Structures are given as structure tokens and as C-alpha cells.
């Protein structure tokens, strides 16, 4: 069923209640408030569209970032690399809550500049944002890679896979709506598949582990 404006808003409302109840302290509240005001006049959907007309922007709910962190046992010794980090809200949330190192990569300049600005105000030293095509970045130091791009073409996923082969053994790649073993069953194992809800509807999270 196609999501409606009302169903998306309803989802976002209940998601925000969970976020406030489970994650808010003074700093997470400040972080969220900074994002709210930074994007008050121009929303991320409009900004992403300027980079690429067919760019379908969407964000992962913070409750799902938290599930990913728990499954991957993120802590201050681990590096979370987000390929296509958008506004960086999720990446900064994880760095703040789990103290892990995060690297967010996005090719939309405004997202990266504003994420750095918020990071600097909040002094979240373990978070870094890189403006680049994620096919050009070094993935070898990541412990957990997150990719939320449900509309990537098969050829894009094949190119990503080539890069992901440089991950260390045991490195986790979290994907939405497709598993990596569908493309390469010799380099990855599927550790877990979980049905989850995004604002636009249900999908699966795949935890792929590098062989
Ligand atoms: C669906 S959004 C996901 C944002 C964020 N990861 C989240 O889950 O909330 C995908 C993001 O990937 C970025 N993106 C798409 N292709 C990219 C590429 N080749 N290099 C860098 N960023 C890319 C887009 O600009 C967009 O911000």
C-alpha cells in the first residue's frame, strides 16, 4: 500500500515519542533541536533533489539506528561508516549515544557542511563527515557499514560490493531491502534478517558479515 502524507506524519509522530522516551537527555535533545532549526526553512528532500533529480531521499528512524548499534555491539573501539549519511542525524546520534567513531559520507555538500557545523557545536569529537562519492572512499577501517539506498541500481550495488570486499573479516554491512549474498555469496554471510518499519512502509534489514 502506498504511504500517504497522513500515514508518514503519524509514523513520525509515534517514532518521535519513542525517541523522546528512550533516548532523550539534555544533549540528545540539543542535537535534535539543532537539526530541527538547521532544516526549518529548507527540508532535506528539496536539498537532495538539487543534487540529483531522481534522488529519493529518506531517513532511517533513530530507533532503527539504535537497533543496528545494539546488534553490532557498537562502542568506543568501533568505527561506524555510513555510506550516504544524508543530514547526519543518525550518525551523530550514534556517536553521541555509543561513543563510537562515526564517518558519514555523502555527496550533497550542504548535508556535509551542516553535519560538521552541528558536530562542532555539540563537540562530538568522534564524528567525521566527508563530502565524496561513496564509491571512492576507503572502507578498510570500518567495523560496521550502513547503506540505506533502496533505489540503487544493480550495477551500483555491484560497484559497492567491489569496495566492500576490502572490509576486514567479521566486518558487518547493514543493508536495507536486499542482502549482499544475493550478489556475492562467497564474500558475505547473512547473519540476521529483520522486518522493520520505515516511514514509507515495511522492509527488511540485512546484517551481512564479511567472510
Ligand atoms: C536514502 S538517503 C539515506 C540517509 C541516511 N543514511 C539515513 O538513513 O537516514 C541516501 C543518501 O545517500 C546519498 N548518496 C546517494 N548516492 C551517493 C553516492 N554515490 N555517494 C555519496 N552519497 C550518496 C544521498 O545524497 C542521500 O543523502
Amino acid at each position: 500500500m502506498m504511504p500517504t502524507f497522513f500515514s508518514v506524519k503519524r509514523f513520525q509522530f509515534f517514532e518521535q515519542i519513542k525517541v523522546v522516551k528512550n533516548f532523550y537527555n539534555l544533549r540528545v535533545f540539543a542535537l535534535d533541536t539543532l537539526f530541527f532549526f538547521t532544516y526549518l526553512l529548507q527540508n532535506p528532500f528539496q536539498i537532495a533533489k538539487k543534487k540529483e533529480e531522481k534522488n529519493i531521499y529518506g531517513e532511517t528512524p533513530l530507533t532503527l539506528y539504535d537497533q543496528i548499534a545494539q546488534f553490532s555491539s557498537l562502542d568506543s573501539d568501533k568505527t561506524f561508516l555510513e555510506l550516504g549519511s544524508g543530514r547526519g542525524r543518525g550518525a551523530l546520534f550514534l556517536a553521541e549515544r555509543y561513543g563510537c567513531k562515526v564517518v558519514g559520507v555523502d555527496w550533497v555538500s550542504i548535508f556535509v557542511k551542516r553535519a560538521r557545523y552541528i558536530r562542532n557545536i555539540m563537540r562530538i569529537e568522534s564524528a567525521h563527515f566527508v563530502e565524496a562519492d561513496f564509491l571512492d572512499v576507503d572502507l578498510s577501517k570500518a567495523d560496521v557499514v550502513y547503506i540505506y539506498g533502496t533505489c540503487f541500481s544493480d550495477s551500483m550495488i555491484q560497484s559497492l560490493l567491489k569496495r566492500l570486499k576490502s572490509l576486514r573479516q567479521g566486518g558487518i554491512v547493514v543493508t536495507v531491502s536486499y542482502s549482499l549474498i544475493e550478489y556475492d555469496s562467497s564474500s558475505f554471510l547473512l547473519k540476521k534478517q529483520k522486518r522493520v518499519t520505515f516511514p514509507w512502509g515495511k522492509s527488511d534489514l540485512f546484517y551481512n558479515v564479511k567472510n
Side-chain angles (χ1 to χ4, degrees):
M1 204 173 69
M2 278 288 282
T4 60
F5 175 80
F6 180 71
S7 67
V8 169
K9 288 291 163 203
R10 204 174 85 105
F11 176 90
Q12 287 170 339
F13 174 75
F14 286 111
E15 160 72 13
Q16 193 57 24
I17 288 179
K18 286 185 208 153
V19 168
V20 171
K21 205 169 145 228
N22 297 319
F23 309 136
Y24 262 27
N25 54 29
L26 214 55
R27 282 186 58 81
V28 177
F29 168 71
L31 187 61
D32 242 8
T33 307
L34 279 168
F35 271 104
F36 176 77
F37 284 108
T38 307
Y39 286 91
L40 190 59
L41 297 180
Q42 199 185 20
N43 72 49
F45 301 88
Q46 295 164 324
I47 295 170
K49 243 192 163 135
K50 280 192 185 151
K51 168 76 185 171
E52 213 191 3
E53 190 48 40
K54 62 176 176 23
N55 193 332
I56 301 172
Y57 187 79
E59 287 187 359
T60 304
L62 291 191
T63 50
L64 288 191
Y65 276 102
D66 196 63
Q67 284 183 29
I68 293 170
Q70 303 263 352
F71 179 85
S72 322
S73 308
L74 277 184
D75 60 24
S76 55
D77 294 331
K78 298 229 168 100
T79 298
F80 176 86
L81 173 62
E82 184 164 16
L83 301 183
S85 47
R87 293 191 297 164
R89 179 176 178 240
L92 281 167
F93 166 73
L94 289 183
E96 171 61 30
R97 184 166 163 84
Y98 290 91
C100 52
K101 183 173 176 196
V102 303
V103 181
V105 182
D106 207 290
W107 59 9
V108 176
S109 181
I110 296 181
F111 288 159
V112 173
K113 287 195 177 110
R114 292 184 184 178
R116 285 181 186 148
Y117 173 75
I118 293 173
R119 172 235 186 245
N120 289 342
I121 294 181
M122 293 297 301
R123 299 194 182 168
I124 304 179
E125 314 279 333
S126 65
H128 302 275
F129 292 91
V130 179
E131 181 184 339
D133 183 330
F134 55 54
L135 293 177
D136 296 333
V137 298
D138 174 19
L139 311 180
S140 61
K141 296 198 177 65
D143 297 294
V144 183
V145 179
Y146 179 48
I147 311 165
Y148 169 30
T150 50
C151 300
F152 290 162
S153 64
D154 273 1
S155 65
M156 161 66 111
I157 296 171
Q158 297 287 4
S159 309
L160 258 173
L161 261 173
K162 279 191 201 141
R163 310 285 308 180
L164 290 167
K165 283 185 189 170
S166 66
L167 277 181
R168 67 164 177 81
Q169 197 182 12
I172 298 173
V173 184
V174 185
T175 48
V176 180
S177 81
Y178 55 88
S179 79
L180 295 182
I181 60 165
E182 290 165 38
Y183 295 86
D184 181 349
S185 57
S186 58
S187 305
F188 292 91
L189 288 171
L190 182 60
K191 188 89 184 270
K192 187 177 174 184
Q193 177 175 348
K194 188 161 191 275
R195 198 84 180 139
V196 292
T197 313
F198 282 82
W200 43 265
K202 290 199 182 296
S203 188
D204 286 302
L205 272 191
F206 294 88
Y207 293 91
N208 310 272
V209 178
K210 174 80 177 26
N211 266 331

